[in-house]
Amino acid sequence: MEKIQMVDLTGQYNKIRSEIDAAISNVITSAAFINGPEVKAFGKNLETYLNVSHAITCGNGTDALQIALMSLNLKEGDEIITTPFTFIATAEAIALLGLKPVFADISPCCFNIDPAEIEKQITKKTKAILPVHLFGQCANMDAITDIADRHNLYVIEDAAQAMGSEYTFSDGLVKKACAMGHIGCTSFYPSKNLGCFGDGGAMLTSIPELAEKMQSIAQHGSAVKYYHERIGVNSRLDALQAAILNVKLKYLDRYNQSRVKAAGYYDKELEGIEQLTVPKRMKQSTHIFHAYTLKTTAQDRDPLCKFLKKRGIPTMIYYPVPLHLQKGYSKYGYKKGDFPVSEALTGSVLSLPMHTELSNEQLQYICNAVREYFKKA
Ligand SMILES: *Cc1c(COP(=O)(O)O)cnc(C)c1O
C-alpha cells in the first residue's frame, strides 16, 4: 500500500502530467508571465464554470478577501460579521483594513455560521456578512441572503474551501459557491479543491461596478497604466499558475467526485461508532469535502490522533483555536465562553486524510485503525 498522505498532490499531477507540462512550457516559451492570455482565459473559464459575469484573478485567497472588502467604500470601525471557526485569513483581511471582525457562532451540526447568531450581532455599524463555506459545504445562504436584504448588508463569500460546491435556494434556484454573494472570494492554494502549484486567488461578482473597482484595486488602483484613481495593491495571478489552472479546472468536477466517494467510504465504515459523528450533509448544499472532519469526544480526540499516527495515518485539527481567542486578535476584547459551539469543536474535531487519490485499500486501512482504537477505548 502507498504511504497515506493528508493530501496527495504528486499522485494527482502524475495522472495529467503531460498536459500540465505542456501548458507550463507554453507559458515559458511565450514569456507572457504577467497578465498574458492564460490569465485572461482562466478568468473567462471561471466565469463560465461558476456562471458569474466577472472574475478578477489575484495573488491568493487572502488578497481576494482584502480586495473585495476594499471595494465596498467602508470606513474604519465598520463591522463585518464572520465565523470564529475558520482559517485566520478570513478575519485577517477584515482587521488589516481597520474594520472590525465581529464573530457569530456556528451551528453545531455542520461547522458553518449560524444565521440566528448573525442576527444577534447586527449593529448600526454592521456593513457586511462574510460567511465561509467550511470544509466544502455551503453556509445557509437562504437565511444569510434574507438577513442581508433586510439590513441592507453586503454578503462576501469566503469560498476558498468550496470550489465547485452547489447550493439550492428555497425557490429551487441552484448557484455555485462564489456566485451567491455580492462578491465571492476563493483561493487556488495547492491543497484546495482547485489548486495550482503555488499561490493564486480570485474574486467573482455579477455587479459590474464592483468588478471594475476590484480590477483596479488589484493593479495598483489603476485602469490605465501610470494613472492611479485610488490606492490599490499589487496582486496578480501568475501566468504559469493560470496555465495550470486552465488544465485542472476541466478536472475539478471529477476531483470533487473522488472526494465525495472517499467521504462516502468513511461514512459507511465509521457511522456505527458511538463516540464519533461523521460530517452531516445539509440538503440545500452539496458537500465537496475539502476536508473530512469528524467530531469525537474531547477525551478521545488527541489519543485517537496519536494512535493513528503510530499506524502511519496522518490527521489534522481544523482548527485548534477559534479566531476570537487568537492572541493576535485580543484587542477585539473577546473571551473564552463567547462562542461555546466553536470552542467545544476546537477540542473535539479531527480531519482524516482527504484528497483525490485515496485508494479503497488505504481507506479501509484508515477505517480499520479508527475502529480498532474505539474497540480498545
Ligand atoms: C485557504 C483559505 C484562505 C486563504 O487563501 P490563501 O490563498 O492561502 O491566501 C481563506 N479562507 C479560507 C477559509 C481558507 O481555507
Side-chain angles (χ1 to χ4, degrees):
M1 187 177 68
E2 299 243 356
K3 183 172 180 287
I4 296 172
Q5 300 179 69
M6 203 61 206
V7 175
D8 178 7
L9 299 175
T10 308
Q12 194 188 60
Y13 164 62
N14 282 336
K15 290 191 180 153
I16 53 169
R17 186 171 199 148
S18 59
E19 229 182 320
I20 293 269
D21 288 2
I24 291 173
S25 174
N26 278 341
V27 174
I28 295 174
T29 310
S30 74
F33 296 120
I34 302 289
N35 295 338
E38 289 286 353
V39 178
K40 266 206 194 78
F42 180 61
K44 289 282 162 240
N45 291 338
L46 259 190
E47 288 165 4
T48 306
Y49 180 77
L50 296 169
N51 194 18
V52 175
S53 58
H54 299 83
I56 298 108
T57 54
C58 67
N60 56 68
T62 311
D63 280 2
L65 291 165
Q66 182 182 328
I67 294 164
L69 290 166
M70 283 173 80
S71 75
L72 302 181
N73 286 335
L74 304 179
K75 55 182 191 309
E76 206 166 318
D78 281 348
E79 297 175 359
I80 314 294
I81 298 176
T82 193
T83 162
F85 195 74
T86 175
F87 180 57
I88 193 69
T90 314
E92 188 178 47
I94 299 169
L96 267 175
L97 296 173
L99 305 168
K100 186 178 174 199
V102 172
F103 297 111
D105 211 351
I106 58 175
S107 309
C109 68
C110 18
F111 307 112
N112 283 325
I113 196 165
D114 182 344
E117 296 298 317
I118 295 176
E119 198 102 44
K120 289 185 200 162
Q121 301 298 337
I122 292 176
T123 72
K124 285 203 179 69
K125 288 189 169 175
T126 307
K127 292 290 150 58
I129 306 170
L130 207 172
V132 179
H133 307 309
L134 203 74
F135 302 148
Q137 183 164 242
C138 295
N140 182 344
M141 293 305 289
D142 274 299
I144 290 169
T145 307
D146 174 60
I147 295 169
D149 286 348
R150 281 190 282 112
H151 295 273
N152 198 22
L153 306 173
Y154 286 108
V155 176
I156 311 294
E157 296 169 74
D158 181 341
Q161 302 187 5
M163 204 50 187
S165 190
E166 279 181 350
Y167 186 90
T168 306
F169 284 86
S170 54
D171 62 2
L173 197 63
V174 179
K175 289 190 183 183
K176 284 209 159 77
C178 265
M180 295 183 276
H182 297 88
I183 303 174
C185 298
T186 197
S187 161
F188 308 115
Y189 184 82
S191 64
K192 307 288 185 187
N193 290 46
L194 177 62
C196 58
F197 292 1
D199 279 308
M203 295 77 74
L204 284 299
T205 186
S206 288
I207 304 169
E209 303 80 61
L210 288 179
E212 204 177 301
K213 218 158 151 196
M214 289 191 288
Q215 182 66 260
S216 153
I217 292 167
Q219 49 190 7
H220 300 293
S222 161
V224 178
K225 209 167 185 176
Y226 305 125
Y227 293 82
H228 305 273
E229 61 262 16
R230 56 173 61 82
I231 298 173
V233 298
N234 173 22
S235 186
R236 295 185 282 240
L237 180 68
D238 194 280
L240 286 166
Q241 303 305 340
I244 292 159
L245 289 166
N246 278 325
V247 175
K248 288 187 73 177
L249 181 58
K250 293 186 290 183
Y251 296 95
L252 177 60
D253 287 343
R254 254 174 283 176
Y255 288 157
N256 285 340
Q257 278 162 23
S258 311
R259 291 171 178 272
V260 170
K261 195 162 156 245
Y265 201 110
Y266 281 140
D267 278 357
K268 190 163 63 57
E269 294 286 317
L270 303 177
E271 228 151 23
I273 300 171
E274 197 190 324
Q275 303 92 325
L276 278 185
T277 310
V278 302
K280 184 174 161 72
R281 269 86 146 171
M282 306 297 296
K283 67 174 191 312
Q284 303 93 321
S285 175
T286 59
H287 196 326
I288 52 159
F289 290 96
H290 174 64
Y292 185 88
T293 303
L294 294 164
K295 295 178 215 169
T296 183
T297 67
Q299 307 89 275
D300 282 313
R301 200 268 304 274
D302 293 340
L304 172 59
C305 291
K306 217 185 257 170
F307 184 90
L308 295 176
K309 190 172 176 202
K310 262 198 220 142
R311 284 152 185 78
I313 301 166
T315 55
M316 290 289 269
I317 309 302
Y318 306 121
Y319 292 92
V321 181
L323 302 194
H324 68 288
L325 301 180
Q326 294 285 356
K327 195 168 153 217
Y329 289 69
S330 59
K331 74 166 180 182
Y332 298 107
Y334 288 106
K335 58 186 188 312
K336 216 170 174 164
D338 284 344
F339 304 108
V341 179
S342 297
E343 289 169 29
L345 284 172
T346 55
S348 60
V349 289
L350 76 152
S351 301
L352 295 179
M354 176 51 75
H355 54 78
T356 59
E357 310 302 313
L358 282 163
S359 67
N360 284 349
E361 189 189 12
Q362 290 175 318
L363 289 164
Q364 192 60 55
Y365 177 83
I366 297 165
C367 293
N368 286 348
V370 173
R371 282 210 291 242
E372 195 189 327
Y373 169 85
F374 284 107
K375 250 177 236 151
K376 290 193 173 133

